[in-house]
Amino acid sequence: MASVSLSSRLNKAVRQQYMSLPQGERVQVTYIWIDGSGEGLRNKTRTLDVEPQTIDDIPEWNFDGSSTYQAEGSNSDMYLVPVRMFRDPFTQDPNKLVLCEVLKYNRLPAETNHRMSCNKVMEEIKEHIIWFGMEQEYTLLGIDGHPYSWPANGFPGPQGPYYCGVGADKAFGRDIVECHYKACLYAGVNIYGSNAEVMPSQWEYQVGPCEGIEMGDQLWVSRFLLHRVCEDFGVVATLDPKPMTGNWNGAGCHTNVSTKHMREEGGLEFIEQAIEKLGKRHKEHIRMYDPRGGKDNVRRLTGHHETASIHDFSAGVANRAASIRIPRQVGQEKKGYFEDRRPSANCDPYAVTKAIAYTCLLHSEDGEESEEENIPAM
């Protein structure tokens, strides 16, 4: 029996009795933010007297940053600045989920708030109408840290039958996947699809296409929904890029990219230009593609298990062992998008999309810049 949390075994019928009570005109608003780890999400809820219609109707709030790895106790208040609003699938309408930026006492962005600098880049390249789609892989674990539904003292059969598999011996935790999908649709997240992945208990969902800064907003809220759904089921969703050592696939966050010119006739030329620029800044991008400056991706980008080596840059049509994949259809139609397969599952989508947008659309036109040159904090 998989190790699930005790909280998940509480009587849900009793809970539903209270959840169905009317709440009058008042509204619960749950504020969501990224903590000081750059990976964890936090949330807390307050009551508003009327239902907010736009993000401007939601007031700023604050929290204790000393308890979220974001401040010292002697100066711990941090600001929560609402940036995007969603419907709440857990307490339902008219209640809301609100994604927030975190600002320090001096109103400067917290160290793990990459949204502000990302938004500046996206505003600067707005005329390119850049679209992103991100493929979020994750692995289900019991609360003991063991992959969900794996044998307690062994391993499941080797990889092969699990990718997009069906059946109790191939798909582990589908209830969670389907509930998360519905929660995303209800909330207003632009979820595109989902599937079982290559390693058993590993799944993927896709968000997009989203333009500019919206990609990061949507993916972070989809992650919150994933963790929250898993909490109800008593299991854990990990975004670790290599949760199991050995002959098992890792977990990435493949990022699909398309500009207006790439989507038009002859767009393949612009795709190839972007890939050339990305190749010149490979090391810088690797540093931006996981929250530990590339150290997490070292475990995943080995050149095996459908990855390219972290040390080398490569590109190819329909090649899942390349850093950048051009889908076969794009190669045939000579327009469309490309897929950057390097970002880790636990990447910050703001950092990833900012790096791609900056390199592809704002880099020096002479093409001679060093790949050691940092993408500006702005």
Side-chain angles (χ1 to χ4, degrees), residues 51 53 66 85 100 115 127 162 188-189 251 303 318 369:
E51 180 181 356
Q53 301 301 310
S66 68
M85 181 171 66
C100 299
R115 186 185 190 276
E127 71 275 12
Y162 307 107
V189 170
E369 61 194 294

Side-chain angles (χ1 to χ4, degrees), residues 99-143:
L99 181 67
C100 299
E101 282 192 21
V102 176
L103 303 183
K104 297 188 287 189
Y105 69 95
N106 54 8
R107 306 288 297 184
L108 293 176
E111 282 70 17
T112 53
N113 176 4
H114 301 296
R115 186 185 190 276
M116 191 173 291
S117 63
C118 177
N119 198 33
K120 289 180 180 178
V121 170
M122 296 306 172
E123 286 297 315
E124 195 167 345
I125 60 148
K126 201 167 187 178
E127 71 275 12
H128 292 279
I129 314 177
I130 191 166
W131 292 354
F132 298 97
M134 299 188 82
E135 305 171 20
Q136 179 67 69
E137 295 179 343
Y138 63 93
T139 307
L140 297 176
L141 307 175
I143 58 170

Side-chain angles (χ1 to χ4, degrees), residues 8 37 49 52-53 115 157 184 218 288 317 341 369:
S8 68
S37 70
D49 290 334
Q53 301 301 310
R115 186 185 190 276
C184 285
Q218 294 262 347
M288 302 288 284
V317 174
R341 297 178 60 81
E369 61 194 294

